[in-house]
Amino acid sequence: MPSQTSYYIADPKYTFLFGPTPNDDLTCAICTQSPLTLPWSREPSRDSDPSLLPCGHVFGHRCLQIWLKTNDTCPACRFRLRYDLCKHPIRPRRLTREGLLLVPPTVPDGGAVGDQCGRCQARTDQIVIFELCAPLAERYYELRTTHERTGSEADRTKMVYAKGQLDKVMQALVPPGERQW
Ligand SMILES: [Zn+2]
Ligand SMILES: [Zn+2]
Ligand SMILES: [Zn+2]
């Protein structure tokens, strides 16, 4: 078990942006051979691209993929790489310079692992959003049809108001983007 030489980089953003060239002497702890250097982008991908787990441990991309075929834990600390609710695997993040600022904070750095993967969460969110917004949307479509028929200014005001209410709820509910693992 490669715990002795595993790289623990809880805050890759700061480490790689401001650290004293920390990527110069990193080596993959699984094979103890591949030097881990931070590429600019994922293309062309290399076996040695550093891959980050939510626990803050970093390994070579290819070695970690092989490990994860038969394991669902971090090779160093045994952090469980499975979502509690949907049981889908938590995927490692390939670290690149251009993607550095998009990497979510690791758990030891205050980040969080969601109950379910992004895809399952999006599905749940859509159901919730639909249930909460459907009555408002129905009202808006009604008023829009009325306004299209009458063309009156009063009906237009009502329609715009209903649309504003729908937008407000949608903005509060729709996730602003990627924030979690
Ligand atoms: Zn390796
Ligand atoms: Zn770990
Ligand atoms: Zn899932």
Side-chain angles (χ1 to χ4, degrees):
M1 193 166 106
S3 59
Q4 295 303 312
T5 48
S6 296
Y7 285 99
Y8 174 65
I9 305 179
D11 56 352
K13 237 171 276 188
Y14 307 108
T15 303
F16 286 107
L17 267 180
F18 305 113
T21 57
N23 51 328
D24 281 356
D25 53 359
L26 297 188
T27 306
C28 171
I30 295 173
C31 64
T32 67
Q33 278 171 10
S34 306
L36 302 182
T37 49
L38 200 66
W40 178 257
S41 69
R42 277 195 203 186
E43 299 297 336
S45 67
R46 301 165 309 163
D47 296 351
S48 60
D49 285 353
S51 226
L52 174 75
L53 294 173
C55 51
H57 285 111
V58 174
F59 303 93
H61 161 66
R62 186 171 155 69
C63 287
L64 191 55
Q65 289 304 316
I66 293 168
W67 166 268
L68 291 175
K69 276 183 188 156
T70 50
N71 296 278
D72 64 356
T73 54
C74 167
C77 71
R78 301 283 165 185
F79 186 97
R80 190 161 175 266
L81 297 169
R82 219 164 261 286
Y83 292 96
D84 279 345
L85 201 61
C86 69
K87 309 295 180 204
H88 287 132
I90 298 172
R91 306 214 176 277
R93 296 281 175 137
R94 294 262 290 284
L95 295 177
T96 62
R97 286 208 180 278
E98 69 177 7
L100 203 51
L101 297 177
L102 299 174
V103 175
T106 62
V107 171
D109 197 29
V113 173
D115 291 340
Q116 44 189 342
C117 72
R119 201 180 269 187
C120 291
Q121 186 64 52
R123 203 172 297 145
T124 306
D125 289 348
Q126 276 186 28
I127 293 167
V128 172
I129 289 163
F130 178 79
E131 284 175 353
L132 290 171
C133 293
L136 290 172
E138 204 180 314
R139 175 94 182 113
Y140 161 59
Y141 288 126
E142 257 174 43
L143 291 166
R144 194 172 74 177
T145 311
T146 307
H147 172 249
E148 274 164 10
R149 202 182 55 237
T150 67
S152 94
E153 190 56 31
D155 286 337
R156 203 191 81 89
T157 307
K158 280 184 206 166
M159 175 192 78
V160 168
Y161 180 74
K163 177 69 162 51
Q165 283 189 315
L166 177 61
D167 282 344
K168 214 184 281 177
V169 177
M170 284 286 277
Q171 276 164 23
L173 291 173
V174 173
E178 219 173 6
R179 271 194 189 160
Q180 288 193 322
W181 286 82

